[in-house]
Amino acid sequence: MRNIRQQILFISLLPAMILVAVVAIYLLYTRLQDLETQFQTRGQSLARQLATASLNGLLSNKHDALLLLAQETRNTNPDVLGLRILDSHGLVLLRSGNKNLPVSSINNHFSSDISTANDIKAIYRYYPDQPVPKPVDGKLKLGEIELWLDSTPLIQEKKHIITTTLILTLIGLLITALLALFLSRRLAKPLEQLTQAARSLRAGKMGIRVPVTDSGEIGELQSAFNEMANEIAIASEHLHAQVDQATGELQESMEILEIKNVELDLARKRALEASRVKSEFLANMSHEIRTPMNGILGFTDLLRSTPLNQTQAEYLDTIKTSSHNLLTIINDILDLSKLEAGKLVLEKSTFSLRQCIYTAIALLAPMAHEKKLELVSLIYNDVPDCLLGDSTRVAQIITNLVSNAIKFTDEGEVVLRAMMESEDDHSITLSISVTDTGIGIPINEQDEIFSAFSQGRIFSEKTISGTGLGLSICKRLISEMNGSISLQSTPGKGSCFEFNIQLDKEDQCISSQETSSLFSGNNIWVVEPVHTSLLALRNMLSDLGVVCRELSDYATALTALRHREQPDLLIVAMSASSYMNPDHMEILSELIEQSVAPVLVLLGSSRQEDLYSILDLGAARCLGKPVKPVVLAQAISEILYAENTLAPDYSLDNTEVFSNLDMEGKVVLVADDNKANRQLIHSLLEARGAQIICVENGREAVDQISETHVDMAFIDIHMPVMDGFEAVERIRKLPGGESIPLIAMTADVMGNNQVEVRRNAFDICVTKPINVQELLLQISELEGKGEPGLSRENTVDHANEGTTESLVVYDPDKALRITGGSQTMADNLLSQLSGALPEAMEEIDLLARQQKWQELWQAIHKLQGMTALCAVPALSHALHRLQLAAENRNPSECSNRLDEAQSCANDLLNTYAD
């Protein structure tokens, strides 16, 4: 229904039509039924009357009477089409009318029995020839009369009634429709007016109104509409006024926003410029501070090598300590800057987790020993050792947390625990905690200490110097490693910093903690009263393949020794506080005296004189706690496998190794615009026989190398006239320039120049301030005299320089230096290498022929790890050249280097057999 008029018509007509139709059908049906009933009743009545009238004629057998009756009946009733009279036996006595009667749609055949209930036997006596029928239900049936009425008048009457009814129905419907149409117009017109007015009102014609023409509800609706239109008109006026006002205010706001946007854009540009200036400032600050610091630290080391009295030595130690503190502050600020700028990129390289942790802890041991603290590093056995990640940043986090724990702990212990939280096929989640027994941190300050430049009130009260950046940097570094850090602390009882990081597993690398078969079958005792230290020592010895007997106090060990129980080796651990106790020292002296086996003492001290005092008591060896596994393994090997007397105590420090670095006759170029740096390198290398040429910029360096033969060149990155990058590019193009070892020097630790150094033709890069020992180590490697297997950063292939013929097959002196003077251990290591060498070379040969470069590189790397402990320079050098060929995936070069390595391996096997 599209409009209200149609709806009114529908509502009016539909009930009326239904009602009229029902009434018409009912009346028509009733009338037709009455007519048919009358027809049937008349037929039956006429048949019964004829049956009664024909009784006498039938009894008297007077057919004339019956015929007369039939004729009179037809004359009297013209609609009787015909009739028959039958006797009791069904014989037709009389037939009147048409023989072939027309077929009618209405039943027009009627019949009636001619019967009587009276006794008429006497009558039959007068007519003996008449058979006497038998009565049925007390009546005597004498015959039957049948008649047919004409149904045509009935049918015509039905048609007439139907026609009349239809006409009257249509007339009624027409009248109803006209009436509905009239009413719909009357009712719909005001509603249509209201609808049209509403549309106009919606279209914005606020002056539209409708006339009030009716009373009742429609009139009220018209009045209400007009009132509503008036209110809408008033509201529209107010709304337009408000919109106009709001539009004006919005335009003003837009103008203000545009001004603000311009100001924000300018502020953003200023902020970006400030960030750029800040980064440049930090880089320049790093360079400008590290450059003089290089001279301070370098000449401090040189000055220490001269004769000094005690006061001068203390002053130098103070200068060196203060300089390193300043470098720590600079590094913290630079790390925070890189983290905030999102420019800190974590390296992903293979490293030994245990070596990373033990090295970091070893650096902090002197600080703990000064405060008589027990410093423990506990790494559980299920933690994988070979992982992929940024070992420098992991060590930085551990160093910061352990350093803080030591700072704020006056007595007790600081324990680092490393355990595996979860793992999958490719990575592990490592959980590391640092627990101390220090001052603790109040709850309301625990969140604050992770903020930059915040140390907390309780830290400030301790007057510990620092920038307050360490924990903030640790938290951000841990977040970069997909981890988190948490703190649990109780004031006065201590704190526990726990963090977890995600690292990838590296299955094919060589672990630095391979179990040694040298110690199997030995009866080793361990005496450690401190439970956590005993647990850490147990795990460390277990990694080394040592199964030991654990004793938790000195008295028990002393009792066992007095009962003539003797081990092959007695390991006695003593904390710094126990060392200061005379009673404990007396017990230690008695243990050494009672033990037939050699005694290895682990002392909580870093003072050389303390270690010597233990040796004076008769101990075979004395090591500072916490001890590194490699140092412990070397000491055990020296003690167990020394033939007669112990060899001289070769220090693990590289100072002695490289103090004899011979550069006699070498010409070294130093290009640096800073005079102190030039003097440092000059003094350092001149003392080792080198001839030093100093220049102040890159152009002078290029000119000098083009005119003079140079064996090695130190080139600073930032120099006037020509910087280091351009200088090295030109040097490499000079005749013979490709073979000159070039060492880059930079004070930039932001990483900007580090990437460029790797891309350019430098051999290695050193960061200012220069670490003298590290520099000597790298020079020794470039000279081919460094310890094999030590890592260095090299971007140029120098493996092809020289030949393996110039290198010895086996260097027994170097082997003794590696094993700390133990000839037995050196022989055992060489024996193990000789046994594994044929199979390893077969595997390398197969992988080379199959050109499985990654697996080949790993196999060579694994064999190099074995040669690094055996002092076999020729084979080590050949394997290095082969590894470079495998890394470059050069089949022909790899084949040549493989033949060379195989030849060196055969020479070594022949030498070992001899």
Side-chain angles (χ1 to χ4, degrees):
M1 301 296 176
R2 292 184 298 177
N3 53 48
I4 193 170
R5 180 175 298 181
Q6 292 178 348
Q7 295 180 14
I8 294 175
L9 285 174
F10 178 77
I11 294 172
S12 302
L13 288 177
L14 183 61
M17 291 175 64
I18 294 174
L19 179 61
V20 171
V22 171
V23 172
I25 292 171
Y26 173 74
L27 293 176
L28 182 60
Y29 176 78
T30 305
R31 181 58 179 156
L32 294 178
Q33 286 295 110
D34 289 344
L35 288 176
E36 192 167 346
T37 302
Q38 290 176 6
F39 180 75
Q40 295 292 332
T41 302
R42 182 172 178 275
Q44 289 294 337
S45 176
L46 186 57
R48 285 193 295 270
Q49 290 176 3
L50 288 176
T52 303
S54 61
L55 179 62
N56 186 37
L58 190 60
L59 288 175
S60 62
N61 199 19
K62 294 180 179 180
H63 292 281
D64 296 337
L66 293 175
L67 180 58
L68 180 59
L69 177 61
Q71 292 177 350
E72 286 296 328
T73 299
R74 291 188 62 194
N75 293 332
T76 306
N77 299 286
D79 55 341
V80 176
L81 299 176
L83 60 83
R84 286 190 309 178
I85 298 176
L86 308 175
D87 62 7
S88 59
H89 299 289
L91 298 175
V92 179
L93 297 179
L94 176 65
R95 182 188 303 275
S96 178
N98 298 327
K99 292 181 179 182
N100 299 319
L101 297 175
V103 179
S104 175
S105 59
I106 300 175
N107 183 16
N108 61 346
H109 174 256
F110 305 96
S111 63
S112 179
D113 293 336
I114 303 174
S115 61
T116 179
N118 298 321
D119 184 11
I120 58 174
K121 292 182 180 180
I123 299 174
Y124 280 95
R125 283 197 295 270
Y126 292 107
Y127 305 99
D129 55 339
Q130 293 286 338
V132 180
K134 295 180 181 181
V136 178
D137 296 331
K139 290 185 178 181
L140 185 63
K141 181 177 179 182
L142 300 178
E144 183 180 5
I145 187 167
E146 293 181 347
L147 64 85
W148 286 265
L149 294 180
D150 186 6
S151 61
T152 302
L154 176 61
I155 293 173
Q156 292 179 351
E157 184 65 21
K158 282 185 176 183
K159 292 180 179 180
H160 176 71
I161 291 174
I162 292 173
T163 302
T164 303
T165 303
L166 290 176
I167 293 173
L168 292 176
T169 301
L170 292 175
I171 293 173
L173 289 176
L174 181 60
I175 294 173
T176 303
L178 293 175
L179 181 61
L181 182 61
F182 172 74
L183 293 176
S184 66
R185 288 182 176 178
R186 181 177 177 83
L187 294 175
K189 185 176 180 180
L191 296 178
E192 289 175 350
Q193 291 177 346
L194 286 171
T195 303
Q196 186 61 36
R199 291 174 180 172
S200 300
L201 188 63
R202 184 180 62 184
K205 298 179 180 180
M206 298 300 168
I208 192 70
R209 300 293 184 273
V210 294
V212 181
T213 57
D214 293 331
S215 59
E217 288 79 359
I218 293 180
E220 293 178 0
L221 181 61
Q222 292 172 337
S223 300
F225 177 84
N226 292 334
E227 294 176 359
M228 179 188 69
N230 291 332
E231 293 178 358
I232 290 176
I234 296 173
S236 177
E237 292 178 0
H238 287 294
L239 181 61
H240 279 296
Q242 293 176 356
V243 168
D244 293 339
Q245 181 180 357
T247 301
E249 294 175 354
L250 182 60
Q251 289 177 349
E252 295 178 0
S253 300
M254 289 295 294
E255 294 175 357
I256 296 174
L257 285 176
E258 289 179 0
I259 297 173
K260 292 292 185 183
N261 286 336
V262 173
E263 293 176 353
L264 288 175
D265 186 60
L266 293 175
R268 176 179 173 274
K269 292 180 179 179
R270 286 195 297 268
L272 291 175
E273 180 65 18
S275 177
R276 186 189 63 80
V277 172
K278 170 187 170 185
S279 299
E280 291 182 357
F281 167 74
L282 289 174
N284 292 332
M285 180 189 71
S286 171
H287 183 270
E288 295 301 328
I289 295 179
R290 286 175 177 272
T291 298
M293 288 300 298
N294 182 47
I296 294 172
L297 291 174
F299 281 100
T300 299
D301 290 334
L302 292 177
L303 187 58
R304 285 186 63 84
S305 63
T306 63
L308 300 172
N309 58 36
Q310 182 177 358
T311 302
Q312 292 171 332
E314 290 178 356
Y315 289 168
L316 285 179
D317 290 338
T318 302
I319 293 173
K320 189 170 184 178
T321 302
S322 300
S323 300
H324 282 295
N325 290 339
L326 178 59
L327 285 178
T328 301
I329 295 173
I330 295 173
N331 290 335
D332 286 345
I333 295 175
L334 294 178
D335 284 341
L336 181 64
S337 177
K338 286 188 284 186
L339 286 168
E340 289 180 346
K343 294 183 178 180
L344 181 68
V345 179
L346 297 178
E347 294 184 0
K348 193 171 185 180
S349 58
T350 303
F351 73 99
S352 168
L353 176 66
R354 284 171 172 79
Q355 182 178 354
C356 174
I357 293 177
Y358 288 131
T359 301
I361 294 297
L363 294 175
L364 299 172
M367 184 191 304
H369 295 157
E370 287 181 5
K371 304 183 73 172
K372 305 298 184 293
L373 300 177
E374 186 73 6
L375 182 59
V376 183
S377 55
L378 176 55
I379 305 175
Y380 289 88
N381 297 117
D382 62 340
V383 177
D385 185 54
C386 202
L387 299 170
L388 284 174
D390 194 331
S391 60
T392 303
R393 296 302 179 181
V394 174
Q396 180 180 354
I397 297 170
I398 293 173
T399 301
N400 194 290
L401 295 179
V402 176
S403 174
N404 284 343
I406 295 173
K407 284 181 182 179
F408 299 103
T409 303
D410 294 328
E411 61 181 8
E413 62 181 10
V414 175
V415 182
L416 180 142
R417 293 178 175 87
M419 64 192 72
M420 186 169 61
E421 186 172 303
S422 62
E423 72 170 327
D424 53 31
D425 294 338
H426 305 289
S427 64
I428 72 165
T429 299
L430 189 66
S431 177
I432 299 178
S433 63
V434 177
T435 307
D436 62 62
T437 55
I439 59 177
I441 304 171
I443 297 178
N444 59 348
E445 296 185 12
Q446 291 182 8
D447 293 334
E448 180 184 351
I449 63 172
F450 289 104
S451 302
F453 304 103
S454 174
Q455 291 182 302
R457 178 183 56 82
I458 193 168
F459 289 173
S460 300
E461 292 176 356
K462 294 290 292 182
T463 63
I464 300 294
S465 61
T467 60
L469 296 176
L471 291 178
S472 175
I473 293 173
C474 287
K475 184 176 181 180
R476 298 193 184 190
L477 287 176
I478 292 169
S479 178
E480 291 289 331
M481 298 182 190
N482 301 319
S484 61
I485 186 171
S486 61
L487 166 63
Q488 294 180 354
S489 181
T490 303
K493 294 184 179 181
S495 305
C496 177
F497 287 85
E498 182 176 0
F499 67 92
N500 58 78
I501 54 177
Q502 185 174 347
L503 299 172
D504 293 336
K505 293 193 292 188
E506 178 56 69
D507 298 330
Q508 296 181 346
C509 73
I510 302 174
S511 173
S512 62
Q513 289 300 115
E514 295 180 353
T515 300
S516 175
S517 61
L518 297 174
F519 307 139
S520 60
N522 291 289
N523 181 19
I524 298 177
W525 291 7
V526 175
V527 185
E528 173 58 274
V530 181
H531 175 71
T532 51
S533 297
L534 178 61
L535 185 58
L537 192 57
R538 177 199 304 164
N539 288 344
M540 187 182 299
L541 291 172
S542 176
D543 288 338
L544 296 173
V546 177
V547 179
C548 57
R549 177 182 177 184
E550 299 175 1
L551 302 171
S552 58
D553 60 84
Y554 304 129
T556 303
L558 189 59
T559 302
L561 292 175
R562 287 172 177 172
H563 285 79
R564 299 186 182 280
E565 297 181 37
Q566 291 293 332
D568 297 329
L569 173 64
L570 177 62
I571 301 177
V572 181
M574 179 171 285
S575 64
S577 57
S578 296
Y579 175 71
M580 303 301 295
N581 190 328
D583 296 334
H584 290 174
M585 288 298 297
E586 184 177 351
I587 294 176
L588 176 61
S589 177
E590 191 171 355
L591 281 173
I592 297 173
E593 182 180 351
Q594 292 290 333
S595 176
V596 177
V599 178
L600 171 61
V601 179
L602 306 180
L603 185 63
S605 175
S606 301
R607 289 161 44 92
Q608 200 69 27
E609 51 268 30
D610 294 340
L611 304 182
Y612 286 148
S613 66
I614 300 298
L615 294 177
D616 294 338
L617 295 177
R621 288 294 298 272
C622 183
L623 303 176
K625 294 173 62 178
V627 63
K628 294 181 180 181
V630 63
V631 177
L632 182 60
Q634 179 178 338
I636 294 174
S637 299
E638 291 175 358
I639 295 174
L640 292 178
Y641 300 108
E643 293 178 349
N644 296 317
T645 59
L646 293 176
D649 184 13
Y650 289 91
S651 173
L652 291 177
D653 192 359
N654 290 320
T655 304
E656 182 178 348
V657 177
F658 297 109
S659 62
N660 297 324
L661 179 63
D662 185 14
M663 298 190 69
E664 188 69 32
K666 300 289 184 181
V667 179
V668 179
L669 174 72
V670 180
D672 197 316
D673 60 328
N674 185 274
K675 182 179 180 181
N677 291 335
R678 296 196 303 271
Q679 290 178 347
L680 174 62
I681 303 297
H682 187 282
S683 301
L684 184 65
L685 299 184
E686 188 179 43
R688 287 163 174 79
Q691 178 183 349
I692 311 301
I693 301 175
C694 294
V695 296
E696 297 183 2
N697 57 64
R699 178 174 295 173
E700 294 179 1
V702 175
D703 294 341
Q704 190 68 44
I705 292 176
S706 63
E707 298 174 357
T708 308
H709 169 75
V710 173
D711 296 297
M712 183 180 297
F714 290 81
I715 300 178
D716 186 27
I717 298 300
H718 299 285
M719 292 185 295
V721 183
M722 181 184 296
D723 63 16
F725 295 126
E726 185 178 354
V728 73
E729 184 178 354
R730 295 191 179 187
I731 291 172
R732 289 302 186 196
K733 295 178 181 180
L734 295 174
E738 295 182 357
S739 60
I740 300 175
L742 300 180
I743 301 174
M745 298 186 298
T746 178
D748 175 27
V749 293
M750 293 293 287
N752 299 330
N753 290 329
Q754 302 289 339
V755 176
E756 292 297 327
V757 168
R758 294 186 181 96
R759 292 176 181 173
N760 283 273
F762 284 105
D763 291 275
I764 57 176
C765 176
V766 294
T767 305
K768 300 176 184 178
I770 297 173
N771 184 301
V772 174
Q773 299 304 322
E774 180 181 353
L775 177 62
L776 294 176
L777 172 64
Q778 291 176 327
I779 294 175
S780 180
E781 288 184 12
L782 288 177
E783 290 292 304
K785 300 178 181 179
E787 295 298 326
L790 294 176
S791 62
R792 71 175 181 141
E793 186 175 359
N794 195 346
T795 59
V796 181
D797 183 7
H798 294 285
N800 295 324
E801 296 178 17
T803 61
T804 56
E805 287 79 1
S806 62
L807 300 175
V808 297
V809 176
Y810 179 65
D811 189 346
D813 295 335
K814 179 179 287 188
L816 284 178
R817 289 199 301 270
I818 293 174
T819 60
S822 174
Q823 183 64 49
T824 303
M825 188 175 182
D827 293 341
N828 288 333
L829 291 173
L830 182 60
S831 176
Q832 293 179 12
L833 174 62
S834 300
L837 188 57
E839 183 179 354
M841 291 304 298
E842 288 180 4
E843 180 185 5
I844 291 173
D845 180 64
L846 177 62
L847 294 174
R849 283 188 278 107
Q850 295 176 347
Q851 296 187 5
K852 295 182 178 179
W853 303 115
Q854 182 64 28
E855 297 179 12
L856 175 61
W857 191 94
Q858 293 291 346
I860 300 171
H861 183 73
K862 181 178 180 181
L863 184 57
Q864 277 187 314
M866 299 176 65
T867 61
L869 302 176
C870 298
V872 285
L875 179 58
S876 179
H877 183 64
L879 289 175
H880 176 67
R881 290 152 65 100
L882 176 59
Q883 188 176 29
L884 289 177
E887 184 176 354
N888 295 328
R889 302 189 177 188
N890 189 331
S892 59
E893 180 71 14
C894 186
S895 178
N896 296 332
R897 299 310 172 197
L898 179 59
D899 294 339
E900 181 183 6
Q902 187 65 59
S903 176
C904 293
N906 293 335
D907 293 342
L908 176 62
L909 293 175
N910 294 334
T911 301
Y912 177 74
D914 295 339

